[in-house]
């Protein structure tokens, strides 16, 4: 992954097609913003070529370019992995979504648990939400990407953080692991020990994030506010990343 952008640029030059080039430029812009430690202004455009797009482009550039087109499409589809390996982030926040979280949920303060490098905390702070970032930091012991968080991170396990910072308006958790039951424990602690009005998770239903038990529960809110938030946060790749709110009265 260290040569990701170099390979992308090289293949883009060789393929020389406007649709491919626009996606390469989108990736470079995202990478530039993440490298600066700043959230995106709005959600990025969809990356990766659908089968019909792939065939249409191949017809234009010639079948002899199929290997290169396949290679660059694989890079498009692995961009999230590149971001995780280089910057330690799996989810890419944007300020439009952060504004909507603040305004539609009516929050002034937030706690991010299992925050990793706290990229979502940075986005919320940028739109005026006073945010506390917490993480057990176990992952950072074996990953160099944990050395430079986007927002200061306090070393606290999720349930302890919820108990300690019980007076925030919002608890947010992005890409909770799809193993263990830390997400279940966090929700249970929130209900028993926190005054937070809202608890949102960012991830993929029955996929890359959260425990199986988490998705089996019927505790997800469906509100106009949440729909507006999700409309601003469309996933940029094949992972169906969305924002989920937990009902405190389940």
């Amino acid at each position: 992954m260290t040569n990701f952008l170099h390979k992308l640029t090289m293949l883009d030059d060789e393929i020389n097609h406007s649709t491919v080039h626009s996606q390469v430029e989108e990736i470079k812009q995202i990478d530039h913003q993440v490298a600066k430690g700043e959230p995106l202004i709005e959600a990025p455009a969809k990356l990766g070529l659908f089968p019909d797009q792939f065939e249409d482009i191949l017809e234009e550039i010639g079948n002899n370019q199929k290997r290169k087109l396949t290679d660059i499409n694989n890079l498009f589809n692995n961009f999230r992995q590149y971001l995780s390996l280089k910057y330690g982030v799996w989810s890419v926040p944007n300020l439009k979504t952060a504004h909507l979280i603040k305004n539609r949920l009516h929050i002034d303060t937030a706690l991010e648990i299992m925050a990793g490098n706290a990229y979502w905390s940075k986005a919320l702070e940028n739109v005026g939400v006073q945010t506390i970032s917490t993480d057990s930091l176990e992952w950072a012991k074996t990953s160099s990407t944990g050395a430079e968080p986007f927002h200061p991170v306090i070393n606290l396990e999720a349930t302890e953080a919820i108990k300690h910072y019980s007076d925030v308006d919002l608890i947010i958790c992005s890409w909770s692991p799809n193993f263990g039951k830390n997400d279940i424990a966090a929700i249970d602690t929130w209900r028993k020990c926190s005054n937070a009005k809202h608890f949102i998770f960012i991830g993929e239903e029955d996929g890359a994030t959260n425990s199986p038990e988490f998705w089996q529960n019927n505790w997800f809110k469906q509100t106009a506010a949440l729909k507006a938030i999700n409309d601003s946060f469309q996933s940029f790749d094949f992972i169906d990343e969305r924002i989920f709110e937990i009902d405190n009265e389940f």
Side-chain angles (χ1 to χ4, degrees), residues 119-151:
Y119 202 5
W120 272 98
S121 292
K122 175 67 173 177
L124 290 171
E125 281 277 356
N126 279 20
V127 300
V129 178
Q130 185 178 347
T131 307
I132 300 162
S133 313
T134 62
D135 193 282
S136 68
L137 300 179
E138 284 298 316
W139 68 279
K141 294 176 182 178
T142 56
S143 174
S144 61
T145 61
E148 296 184 15
F150 295 83
H151 186 267

Side-chain angles (χ1 to χ4, degrees), residues 186-206:
I187 292 169
D188 185 56
T189 304
W190 166 55
R191 287 174 167 166
K192 293 176 180 177
C193 305
S194 175
N195 296 319
K197 297 174 291 185
H198 302 279
F199 196 160
I200 61 175
F201 284 83
I202 301 169
E204 182 185 37
E205 185 174 359
D206 292 323

Side-chain angles (χ1 to χ4, degrees), residues 22-142:
S22 66
Q23 294 206 20
V24 171
E25 288 302 302
E26 181 81 17
I27 284 175
K28 288 180 178 179
Q29 289 173 17
I30 296 169
D31 181 75
H32 177 69
Q33 200 72 1
V34 178
K36 289 196 305 179
E38 292 296 332
L40 306 186
I41 302 300
E42 59 184 10
K46 196 81 171 178
L47 298 173
L49 303 173
F50 291 107
D52 56 338
Q53 281 183 299
F54 187 96
E55 293 303 323
D56 289 345
I57 294 170
L58 190 60
E59 187 174 343
E60 293 179 35
I61 64 176
N63 201 59
N64 62 320
Q65 297 270 54
K66 185 173 183 178
R67 180 72 264 166
K68 292 176 182 177
L69 189 61
T70 300
D71 288 346
I72 203 166
N73 196 35
N74 287 338
L75 291 175
F76 292 158
N77 290 328
N78 282 294
F79 181 50
R80 195 185 295 265
Q81 184 183 10
Y82 161 78
L83 292 174
S84 73
L85 292 173
K86 185 168 183 179
Y87 302 108
V89 297
W90 286 98
S91 183
V92 181
N94 70 81
L95 296 179
K96 183 176 181 179
T97 300
H99 269 294
L100 284 165
I101 291 172
K102 172 181 168 60
N103 295 331
R104 295 303 297 264
L105 300 184
H106 308 290
I107 64 163
D108 295 308
T109 57
L111 166 69
E112 184 173 10
I113 59 169
M114 301 183 239
N117 274 341
Y119 202 5
W120 272 98
S121 292
K122 175 67 173 177
L124 290 171
E125 281 277 356
N126 279 20
V127 300
V129 178
Q130 185 178 347
T131 307
I132 300 162
S133 313
T134 62
D135 193 282
S136 68
L137 300 179
E138 284 298 316
W139 68 279
K141 294 176 182 178
T142 56

